[in-house]
Amino acid sequence: MSTFEIVGDDFALDGRPFRILSGAIHYFRVHPDDWADRIRKARLMGLNTIETYVPWNAHEPRAGEWEQSGGLDLGRFLQTIADEGMYAIVRPGPYICAEWDNGGLPAWLFTDPEVGIRRSEPKFVAAVSRYLERVLAVVAPRQITEGGPVILVQIENEYGAYGDDKGYLRILTDLTRASGIVVPLTTVDQPEPAMLENGSLPELHKTASFGSRSRERLATLREHQPTGPLMCSEFWDGWFDHWGAHHHTTPFDQTAADLDALLAAGASVNLYMFHGGTNFGFTNGANDKGVYQPLVTSYDYDAPLDEAGNPTAKFWAFREVLGRYTDLPDEVPVVSGPAPVFEAALTASVPLLSVADRLGEWVWTDELPTMDSLGHYTGFALYQTEIDVPEPAVLELAEVRDRAHVFVNRARIGTLDRDHHDRAITLAPSRGTLTLLVEDQGRVDYGPRIGEPKGLIGPARLDAAELNRWGVLPIDLTSLDPVRETLTALTASALAGPAFARGTFHLDEPADLFLDTAHWGKGVVWVNGFALGRYWTRGPQRTMYVPGAVLTPGENEVIVLELDAGASTAIRFVAALDLGHTDF
């Protein structure tokens, strides 16, 4: 068995100095059938280690319900790293940020106001202890000392930007050691004095996160940690995108120069990201610094390996730099050719309001509830009440989280968008049923708005009179069978939302595909029951990545939930990713 330690100013593998050349791949953002391909390409670029976060909310979507199979099989991911002859770094949080829904913290944690998030409060400590015990039971037997690949485990994540509860950090540290973790423990913070001081303990090895001015940032880190190996454990080589903004890119030559400077200083590195992957389903996070900004489905990140796993110009520039500091494999990755280009059609549909009763059960309350208070933590919910409006009136809500379509007697009145700070809408004289279809567009992953409940936030008033009697139907999209059972032929050339629509296409053999969504409005796509994620004409993203692993020879199914309006019922596949316009 091997050892991995900190000796003087070096990491030491079996007693010999070892430089960590790592790249981040989040197993939960990549189809498991593609893990081996992405990991191999990391080695071919010159890396020797793979780093991953662990998303608590994906593994435990409800308290006590643990998920650890398929795309959440951390043990299989770590074994795949070992099979490629590489090492692994595991960062279990509990908070991960990662532009992931709620920063990885389960929404159910926040339903009890007594729970003190990310501090040494007993209820939170109890919950996080159960979580870490489960995760570390997977990690411990896969440490390098046990013949596995794991060489480092991180405590918390960028904690110095959040708090300064040293007792909390010590609880996590003691729990990690008690769970059998013997490899070095690290922390990461931006190289700011207060963050470096508040985010760690003397026995934890400090690392930094940055993407430029490498020598300056490493010097700051050294000031706050006089001995031990220097490491940038988040070298930001790209950035993430929000709906309605531009696609972020960084010049590959400039980023490569910053990487070269970091390595020339003798530091170890973890590229964030080596391969970003995809926010499949409803997993994207959001930011809110006065304006709510949900993240797009693609987590391409302008990384060396793009969303579909193909090397970019940044890959080759980084490989050249890494070759100055390590021996490179002779083998290089094969660049995929264009994806198949073809069209099919959506041929059947059903209005969402017509099938909703099959997708959940109504709950009636005398107060306006949030989705969270009903145990519904993602996706959509219908809110309904009865109104009698003899004159034009204004419906006003305290807040909409995050988007609501407003209907009176099933006729669409308008839309309330959180990112526009919409809270009020005029209703014409009417009598009957007021319905709001509410979408959770992704939970804030950084800052004080983490953990806020989703849905309609009360009070709800109609011309100052409070509306109290509400029915709420949390929409369960775990299975789309109820949708399939109610579809009827679609004869129109466009799709009026909110509605589900279905179509099929034929493949001789599976291959990665790129679904063009530019002609649709806003919604969600499933292929063969696999939730690809969200699309929106706001852009910048115009294509959705369809992993070949979810496709089959012969007939394949597409189901779309169009919320607004699709100008065409065509299902179009194009040759390559189109992540939208940039700012230069």
Side-chain angles (χ1 to χ4, degrees):
M1 300 301 174
S2 294
T3 61
F4 193 83
E5 304 167 290
I6 292 174
V7 178
D9 288 340
D10 295 311
F11 291 114
L13 175 62
D14 292 331
R16 295 185 297 273
F18 181 83
R19 189 203 296 256
I20 297 172
L21 301 174
S22 175
I25 303 175
H26 298 156
Y27 60 98
F28 46 93
R29 281 180 159 131
V30 181
H31 193 282
D33 288 2
D34 291 326
W35 289 346
D37 172 78
R38 307 319 192 237
I39 292 166
R40 182 173 186 80
K41 288 171 179 172
R43 184 177 66 79
L44 298 184
M45 195 179 78
L47 301 180
N48 56 32
T49 303
I50 299 296
E51 174 271 317
T52 186
Y53 279 128
V54 180
W56 183 1
N57 56 357
H59 283 282
E60 194 173 10
R62 296 179 180 277
E65 296 182 9
W66 190 255
E67 303 286 345
Q68 197 172 295
S69 61
L72 293 174
D73 191 342
L74 174 60
R76 175 185 166 188
F77 182 71
L78 294 175
Q79 184 58 51
T80 307
I81 294 171
D83 291 344
E84 191 58 43
M86 300 184 75
Y87 302 103
I89 300 170
V90 180
R91 303 204 285 168
Y95 167 74
I96 64 172
C97 185
E99 294 74 58
W100 184 258
D101 188 60
N102 218 39
L105 295 170
W108 51 262
L109 271 176
F110 296 81
T111 58
D112 183 348
E114 294 183 1
V115 174
I117 303 298
R118 300 180 74 190
R119 57 186 174 89
S120 52
E121 183 278 318
K123 287 187 175 182
F124 181 70
V125 168
V128 84
S129 297
R130 290 190 294 269
Y131 159 67
L132 284 177
E133 285 168 0
R134 284 183 177 272
V135 172
L136 298 177
V138 176
V139 176
R142 293 172 172 85
Q143 295 176 94
I144 193 167
T145 54
E146 303 296 321
V150 178
I151 56 175
L152 294 177
V153 172
Q154 184 176 288
I155 300 296
E156 247 286 352
N157 188 54
E158 297 181 317
Y159 188 68
Y162 177 83
D164 59 0
D165 187 342
K166 300 289 189 177
Y168 166 60
L169 293 178
R170 187 161 300 284
I171 288 170
L172 296 185
T173 301
D174 291 346
L175 177 63
T176 301
R177 290 300 190 203
S179 298
I181 302 301
V182 299
V183 296
L185 304 181
T186 65
T187 56
V188 61
D189 282 288
Q190 295 179 43
E192 300 288 339
M195 293 184 188
L196 290 169
E197 172 59 31
N198 294 335
S200 194
L201 296 173
E203 65 265 41
L204 304 177
H205 186 68
K206 296 182 179 75
T207 70
S209 55
F210 55 83
S212 61
R213 293 156 47 198
S214 296
R215 291 185 179 277
E216 174 186 336
R217 268 67 185 268
L218 290 173
T220 301
L221 176 60
R222 178 56 82 205
E223 289 174 8
H224 293 269
Q225 186 167 250
T227 62
L230 291 169
M231 182 171 185
C232 175
S233 61
E234 282 193 25
F235 180 74
W236 303 325
D237 56 13
W239 208 244
F240 49 87
D241 296 342
H242 297 116
W243 291 114
H246 63 270
H247 172 49
H248 290 83
T249 61
T250 56
F252 68 85
D253 52 350
Q254 174 185 320
T255 312
D258 284 322
L259 175 62
D260 193 15
L262 187 155
L263 297 176
S268 289
V269 69
N270 175 56
L271 305 176
Y272 191 99
M273 302 288 295
F274 168 71
H275 170 56
T278 307
N279 294 315
F280 292 120
F282 303 106
T283 59
N284 65 278
N287 285 289
D288 192 330
K289 298 179 181 179
V291 176
Y292 174 75
Q293 296 178 293
L295 273 80
V296 304
T297 297
S298 171
Y299 199 66
D300 177 88
Y301 213 83
D302 192 35
L305 218 60
D306 71 15
E307 184 182 9
N310 289 310
T312 66
K314 194 171 286 182
F315 179 99
W316 302 112
F318 281 15
R319 191 176 194 272
E320 181 181 350
V321 169
L322 289 164
R324 300 167 195 162
Y325 302 93
T326 189
D327 293 331
L328 295 175
D330 293 332
E331 181 185 353
V332 295
V334 176
V335 180
S336 300
V341 176
F342 62 96
E343 285 194 17
L346 299 168
T347 57
S349 68
V350 61
L352 182 146
L353 296 181
S354 298
V355 74
D357 287 348
R358 294 170 175 253
L359 297 171
E361 296 183 1
W362 289 97
V363 177
W364 292 91
T365 68
D366 290 327
E367 294 183 354
L368 186 65
T370 64
M371 290 164 59
D372 294 53
S373 68
L374 300 177
H376 188 59
Y377 302 118
T378 191
F380 301 87
L382 283 174
Y383 284 71
Q384 187 170 294
T385 192
E386 297 300 310
I387 60 170
D388 187 351
V389 184
E391 301 289 339
V394 173
L395 171 67
E396 182 183 10
L397 295 145
E399 194 173 354
V400 175
R401 297 180 187 158
D402 303 307
R403 194 168 191 255
H405 296 270
V406 184
F407 306 85
V408 174
N409 297 326
R410 294 202 172 189
R412 187 196 295 265
I413 303 302
T415 304
L416 298 171
D417 285 287
R418 173 178 175 179
D419 59 342
H420 292 168
H421 302 287
D422 294 337
R423 298 188 300 110
I425 192 169
T426 299
L427 305 183
S430 53
R431 181 179 184 180
T433 303
L434 170 69
T435 304
L436 293 94
L437 171 62
V438 182
E439 178 186 4
D440 161 15
Q441 294 188 115
R443 294 176 185 264
V444 172
D445 54 66
Y446 185 88
R449 301 200 72 155
I450 284 180
E452 61 187 6
K454 293 293 189 173
L456 299 181
I457 309 302
R461 294 189 172 93
L462 192 58
D463 273 359
E466 188 167 344
L467 297 171
N468 289 319
R469 184 64 175 164
W470 287 89
V472 183
L473 189 152
I475 296 175
D476 182 1
L477 297 174
T478 305
S479 170
L480 296 179
D481 285 343
V483 173
R484 297 183 181 95
E485 294 164 359
T486 54
L487 291 165
T488 59
L490 176 59
T491 57
S493 59
L495 183 61
F500 291 96
R502 179 183 182 273
T504 61
F505 62 92
H506 185 276
L507 288 175
D508 292 334
E509 58 180 321
D512 286 354
L513 299 177
F514 303 106
L515 177 64
D516 181 3
T517 62
H519 54 291
W520 294 340
K522 185 185 194 302
V524 185
V525 179
W526 292 260
V527 172
N528 293 337
F530 181 86
L532 292 184
R534 313 175 201 253
Y535 64 87
W536 202 352
T537 49
R538 285 191 183 184
Q541 180 177 351
R542 293 170 56 93
T543 57
M544 302 187 77
Y545 170 58
V546 186
V550 308
L551 301 169
T552 61
E555 185 175 89
N556 293 268
E557 176 193 66
V558 175
I559 290 182
V560 174
L561 171 55
E562 172 60 59
L563 300 169
D564 292 348
S568 170
T569 56
I571 305 171
R572 296 175 182 155
F573 293 97
V574 295
L577 289 169
D578 183 351
L579 299 180
H581 64 281
T582 64
D583 61 351
F584 60 87

